[in-house]
Amino acid sequence: SVTLLGTRKTGNSTVPHEGRGGWSAKNYAVDESVSVSGYTLTNPFYNPATRGFDFSYYMSNYYPDTYLDFVVIHLGPNDGYSEESVTYVEQMVSSIRAYGAEKGREVKVLIMTEYVSPEDGYYMVQSGNTNMALRRLRQTNYFGIQQDAFGNREEEGVYLLPNFLCID
């Protein structure tokens, strides 16, 4: 069985998670709190002493006696599928791996790729670009950036998991 952790819950208050609508990888990596659509949410991973993402800080504050097998990271479109977002995710991966080493155990990190956006959704439409071919190209390029950063790292406990595969 899987036990999910998180300081937030789904609308029906049953599934814990750390998702925050409209947040980017950068927000999780460097911001203490973020306001989106009139709501301000705090970042439970933000350590004021280090001024950034700190997985050990998160675990010691919220789940000090919990044993972790893996952490799932699913970010990207709110950063515009940028190389910068992969840099922030890499910082998170390093922090999670350091936490595992600190605890004397391996914590696997599963990095999800993004879904290919539908005609009417996700980042590229929000930025005013409705050209589907350009959106697909940008997302495909992002998959390549993720592959360069996280592919073939299974031996160190980092797994890039394709969320969507298709051949047109």
Side-chain angles (χ1 to χ4, degrees), residues 40-118:
T40 299
L41 297 173
T42 59
N43 181 354
F45 301 101
Y46 182 85
N47 181 342
T50 62
R51 298 176 54 158
F53 185 96
D54 185 336
F55 199 75
S56 292
Y57 176 84
Y58 170 80
M59 290 300 293
S60 67
N61 282 332
Y62 299 100
Y63 303 101
D65 300 320
T66 302
Y67 175 87
L68 288 179
D69 292 312
F70 63 90
V71 173
V72 177
I73 298 175
H74 188 192
L75 296 165
N78 289 336
D79 292 282
Y81 304 108
S82 68
E83 285 186 53
E84 180 184 47
S85 74
V86 172
T87 300
Y88 291 124
V89 172
E90 180 60 54
Q91 290 173 9
M92 293 175 212
V93 169
S94 295
S95 182
I96 294 164
R97 304 275 301 137
Y99 164 79
E102 210 176 273
K103 298 297 181 182
R105 60 181 177 259
E106 181 180 59
V107 177
K108 293 180 177 16
V109 182
L110 313 177
I111 301 164
M112 305 295 287
T113 63
E114 267 309 308
Y115 291 105
V116 171
S117 67

Side-chain angles (χ1 to χ4, degrees), residues 4-34:
L4 301 173
L5 303 178
T7 60
R8 297 179 45 91
K9 303 277 193 247
T10 57
N12 60 8
S13 297
T14 61
V15 181
H17 64 88
E18 290 301 348
R20 286 156 175 75
W23 277 42
S24 66
K26 181 178 180 179
N27 295 138
Y28 282 99
V30 302
D31 292 330
E32 185 170 10
S33 64
V34 177

